[in-house]
Amino acid sequence: MITLLMRYSLCISVILYRKMKVLLIDVYNYNKGGAETTAANWEIDEAQEKAIQVWAEQNGVWIAEAENWLKDNFGPELAHGAEAKVFCKMGDSHVVKLRASIYSTLGRALEAIALHNYLFPETIMRVVGFTRDDDGLFRIILTQPYIECLRLATKEEIDLMVSSKGFHDNGDSLGVNYISNRLYLEDMHPANVFVESLSGKPVCIDCIVKFR
């Protein structure tokens, strides 16, 4: 089933990138009562969710009652964080995540996935579908390689990893947020950065990343 989902993921991601690019232009500035007005983030987000849901339903990647479907097809819930629920069967090479957006709009959330994949290709996230949970919250369904965790990374190991990608500590005294010339990289605490068993190197499984 993982293989079947991943077969469509690259196509979905490319199409979504193109759709969101157009949608951001169309929705960001809209005409209200004859005057040009800047849309609020919630208005942009609502319009993007509606457009993506219509597209997903038309293309067979809208999954109703996704949580039960994931448990039936991919095993029990492995972990549950503020942003995502993670499902995986013993021995699978990938996990499946039911991910809510913590970004201002759905477009920003999809953009963050693309940025994560650029920075951390070893833990590439592949979008395979969309759903809403019981509370009506829009969620992205994605796959990610299963990482065998040797241990959690240290602050020094994380600093070294991100510095090789052009980031440095942003100086906010939290120790988990970084900055580069063009990007913010946040929430890089040890629970999101594992030392992988085979390579012995730190890998990022989750983060917040966005343009400055």
Side-chain angles (χ1 to χ4, degrees):
M1 185 64 75
I2 285 284
T3 303
L4 181 62
L5 284 176
M6 290 179 64
R7 185 181 303 166
Y8 298 103
S9 61
L10 180 58
C11 179
I12 291 171
S13 298
V14 170
I15 293 171
L16 283 174
Y17 174 78
R18 292 172 180 167
K19 282 185 68 68
M20 295 312 301
K21 201 172 180 182
V22 172
L23 193 57
L24 281 168
I25 294 170
D26 289 345
V27 177
Y28 187 75
N29 290 310
Y30 70 103
N31 192 286
K32 181 186 288 183
E36 195 70 18
T37 309
T38 300
N41 282 335
W42 70 266
E43 294 173 297
I44 298 172
D45 190 47
E46 188 176 81
Q48 290 174 352
E49 287 184 3
K50 287 179 180 178
I52 292 300
Q53 181 169 347
V54 169
W55 176 86
E57 289 171 343
Q58 291 173 345
N59 289 272
V61 291
W62 183 263
I63 310 298
E65 299 181 1
E67 190 165 341
N68 290 333
W69 180 78
L70 289 172
K71 289 177 180 177
D72 291 341
N73 289 280
F74 303 104
E77 186 177 312
L78 186 67
H80 186 174
E83 187 179 3
K85 296 179 180 180
V86 184
F87 301 83
C88 185
K89 282 182 181 176
M90 184 74 69
D92 276 355
S93 61
H94 287 72
V95 301
V96 181
K97 290 185 174 181
L98 194 58
R99 191 181 197 195
S101 172
I102 59 172
Y103 295 86
S104 58
T105 67
L106 177 58
R108 296 299 183 204
L110 292 168
E111 181 179 81
I113 291 172
L115 291 172
H116 174 103
N117 293 346
Y118 172 75
L119 292 171
F120 308 110
E122 63 277 7
T123 55
I124 186 171
M125 297 179 178
R126 302 181 189 275
V127 177
V128 297
F130 302 91
T131 191
R132 288 187 186 273
D133 62 19
D134 293 339
D135 295 324
L137 183 65
F138 195 98
R139 288 186 179 268
I140 301 168
I141 305 171
L142 56 86
T143 67
Q144 195 173 23
Y146 177 83
I147 300 298
E148 187 69 39
C149 177
L150 178 65
R151 57 176 173 81
L152 303 183
T154 65
K155 164 68 172 167
E156 291 74 19
E157 288 171 325
I158 297 172
D159 284 347
L160 185 62
M161 177 181 70
V162 300
S163 67
S164 69
K165 301 176 185 293
F167 291 87
H168 59 85
D169 195 298
N170 72 355
D172 65 359
S173 77
L174 296 177
V176 297
N177 300 322
Y178 300 84
I179 194 169
S180 73
N181 291 336
R182 297 196 62 195
L183 297 172
Y184 294 109
L185 180 61
E186 302 173 352
D187 206 29
M188 294 287 288
H189 55 79
N192 282 339
V193 184
F194 296 168
V195 173
E196 199 261 334
S197 293
L198 291 177
S199 68
K201 297 179 179 179
V203 294
C204 174
I205 61 167
D206 201 8
C207 63
I208 298 171
V209 58
K210 54 192 174 184
F211 285 107
R212 294 181 60 176

